[in-house]
Amino acid sequence: MPRKPAIQRKESAKEANPPSSPASDILKEADKLKTQLSVILEQSPMIIIIADTEGRIEYVNRKFNDVTGYSLAEVAGKTPRVLKSGETPLEVYKSLWETITSGNVWTGEFHNKKKSGGYYWGHASIAPIKNSEGEIINFIGMEEDFTARKNAEDALIQAHKRVEELSQAKDIFIQNITHELKTPLSVILGNISLLRDIAPKESAKEWTRLLDMEERNAIRLRRSIEQILQLGKLDSAELKKEPVQLDKLLQDVYLEHLPIANMKGVDLDLSLDKFELQADRELLRLAISNFVSNSVKFTDKGSVELSMKVLGDSVLVRVSDTGIGISKENQSKLFQKFFKADPNAPGSGIGLALSYTIINKHGGKISVKSELEKGSAFEIVLPRGG
Ligand SMILES: Nc1ncnc2c1ncn2[C@@H]1O[C@H](COP(=O)(O)OP(=O)(O)OP(=O)(O)O)[C@@H](O)[C@H]1O
Ligand SMILES: [Mg+2]
């Protein structure tokens, strides 16, 4: 008897345990994909809303429920208007609807209301879903809850506003207080020179000594007030640059400090070169004046030298002294606000911080060389352009 063909045995085996056909494979794959997609939608960190062509909600994911407090059962069949806070302008909704019904994607921000009455900020992308014929069959909205970021941004904006208000208040305060301090000082300085004229001959020496002392202190106070005023406004202030004859400016600085140097018995030397640069005259004078003031203040014997040298398109201003010198450690702190090597020395410790800012704003550079008990030299290089 002939043996049954192998193929027949195979077919009967097939009937007992039918293998998958291409169609059922596709169905299985589609099922798997559907499950995967619904898991993805459910677990998405974004809020997802699917609506019909009239905008009525058909599906919302878990994140929607977490953020808004509404379940699918509560919003199904309703439009996303349930989340309306009244704070998003009507035109936004109008443009949204026009965009998506004409087949385009709309992106924007909403301030939405939760079931609890609280609010959240959503950054949304809403897109039409089309069938193979290109007809819109659904809308899908994806929304990111960025309330925390928005709150942080708002807090930052508020903080900035507050800083600005405080800074304005500070400027006004400094202006007022400076005026308050400067006015009586001008009277004092004026009276000192009147008193010199009427000093009785027999005690003229003593009068001069006392009046010199008064004048020195009043001038020192005026410089401190000027420095504090400048330091307060320098950060935000624009420089008022104009052509400045540097040799003329150094001459003024020299004359300003000559009386005190003479009184201390310290030689004050000046050596000039012709140089014009773009600079804020008053500020530059204040900056250079402070280097000379320091040198005179911290030198008890010997000399202080103020010199300048043209280096092509820049100029080197040098202030050197034979004074107490500055330790290596302190040299790195000199330009910090309020630093003073000796807390008991006269001064407020803002001169060099101010000089540094001013020179920096003129595109200049400062370097220091100093040795304790031998003296110091400050070199300032300024470009012609300022
Ligand atoms: N030529 C110098 N010789 C020795 N020490 C100096 C010299 N220049 C600056 N210093 C040191 O640097 C410190 C800071 O100087 P800065 O000009 O900033 O402040 P100040 O002179 O103390 O006070 P202010 O200038 O505000 O009246 C000084 O207190 C001093 O210790
Ligand atoms: Mg100083």
Side-chain angles (χ1 to χ4, degrees), residues 100-201:
I100 58 174
T101 48
S102 56
N104 297 309
V105 179
W106 183 90
T107 313
E109 284 175 6
F110 290 117
H111 195 202
N112 280 339
K113 198 169 183 176
K114 301 180 184 186
K115 188 180 172 183
S116 63
Y119 294 89
Y120 75 94
W121 282 94
H123 183 83
S125 283
I126 304 171
I129 300 173
K130 297 174 188 168
N131 62 15
S132 51
E133 272 84 53
E135 290 163 345
I136 297 175
I137 49 168
N138 278 106
F139 294 112
I140 180 163
M142 279 175 273
E143 197 177 25
E144 185 202 353
D145 173 12
F146 72 107
T147 313
R149 179 156 49 92
K150 180 85 179 165
N151 287 346
E153 276 171 16
D154 286 352
L156 206 63
I157 290 169
Q158 286 306 321
H160 266 297
K161 247 175 89 184
R162 184 88 191 106
V163 168
E164 248 164 49
E165 281 167 10
L166 284 174
S167 160
Q168 266 175 13
K170 180 201 73 180
D171 286 352
I172 293 170
F173 170 74
I174 289 177
Q175 255 171 32
N176 292 346
I177 198 82
T178 312
H179 183 73
E180 272 308 290
L181 295 169
K182 265 184 158 173
T183 316
L185 256 182
S186 311
V187 177
I188 293 171
L189 281 163
N191 285 351
I192 288 172
S193 80
L194 288 177
L195 286 172
R196 280 190 204 283
D197 295 341
I198 58 166
K201 291 268 175 311

Side-chain angles (χ1 to χ4, degrees), residues 220 223-224 227 290-299 319-321 323-326 330 333-343 345-355 370 375-378:
R220 199 173 108 199
R223 243 195 81 240
S224 293
Q227 285 190 345
N290 181 55
F291 290 103
V292 181
S293 144
N294 286 348
S295 281
V296 172
K297 179 162 61 178
F298 297 108
T299 304
V319 182
S320 61
D321 63 62
I324 61 171
I326 307 156
N330 284 343
K333 301 180 192 157
L334 286 179
F335 299 100
Q336 293 170 7
K337 276 181 206 165
F338 311 119
F339 170 77
K340 284 167 67 172
D342 174 4
S348 45
I350 56 175
L352 284 180
L354 190 61
S355 299
S370 184
S376 313
F378 287 79

Side-chain angles (χ1 to χ4, degrees), residues 124-321:
S125 283
I126 304 171
I129 300 173
K130 297 174 188 168
N131 62 15
S132 51
E133 272 84 53
E135 290 163 345
I136 297 175
I137 49 168
N138 278 106
F139 294 112
I140 180 163
M142 279 175 273
E143 197 177 25
E144 185 202 353
D145 173 12
F146 72 107
T147 313
R149 179 156 49 92
K150 180 85 179 165
N151 287 346
E153 276 171 16
D154 286 352
L156 206 63
I157 290 169
Q158 286 306 321
H160 266 297
K161 247 175 89 184
R162 184 88 191 106
V163 168
E164 248 164 49
E165 281 167 10
L166 284 174
S167 160
Q168 266 175 13
K170 180 201 73 180
D171 286 352
I172 293 170
F173 170 74
I174 289 177
Q175 255 171 32
N176 292 346
I177 198 82
T178 312
H179 183 73
E180 272 308 290
L181 295 169
K182 265 184 158 173
T183 316
L185 256 182
S186 311
V187 177
I188 293 171
L189 281 163
N191 285 351
I192 288 172
S193 80
L194 288 177
L195 286 172
R196 280 190 204 283
D197 295 341
I198 58 166
K201 291 268 175 311
E202 57 283 8
S203 50
K205 225 172 152 195
E206 186 56 7
W207 270 67
T208 309
R209 192 183 69 81
L210 290 172
L211 288 173
D212 280 353
M213 200 162 83
E214 292 305 304
E215 192 172 41
R216 258 200 332 272
N217 281 296
I219 289 174
R220 199 173 108 199
L221 199 55
R222 192 175 59 189
R223 243 195 81 240
S224 293
I225 295 168
E226 244 178 49
Q227 285 190 345
I228 293 169
L229 173 71
Q230 292 302 343
L231 195 68
K233 62 180 191 188
L234 240 197
D235 285 343
S236 51
E238 282 287 307
L239 298 189
K240 281 192 232 98
K241 286 192 189 168
E242 55 183 331
V244 171
Q245 215 52 55
L246 189 64
D247 34 315
K248 175 93 193 26
L249 189 143
L250 293 200
Q251 173 93 28
D252 288 349
V253 171
Y254 167 81
L255 290 175
E256 180 191 341
H257 296 282
L258 193 58
I260 300 178
N262 283 344
M263 216 160 349
K264 289 187 79 176
V266 170
D267 288 336
L268 183 58
D269 302 326
L270 177 70
S271 119
L272 298 176
D273 219 345
K274 280 248 159 288
F275 193 80
E276 189 183 274
L277 81 167
Q278 282 293 322
D280 187 311
R281 188 193 309 270
E282 258 325 285
L283 289 180
L284 193 60
R285 189 192 57 76
L286 198 65
I288 297 175
S289 172
N290 181 55
F291 290 103
V292 181
S293 144
N294 286 348
S295 281
V296 172
K297 179 162 61 178
F298 297 108
T299 304
D300 286 329
K301 56 177 192 294
S303 62
V304 171
E305 215 184 295
L306 171 61
S307 65
M308 63 182 279
K309 193 173 164 205
V310 178
L311 310 166
D313 249 357
S314 53
V315 65
L316 170 75
V317 177
R318 192 165 190 275
V319 182
S320 61
D321 63 62

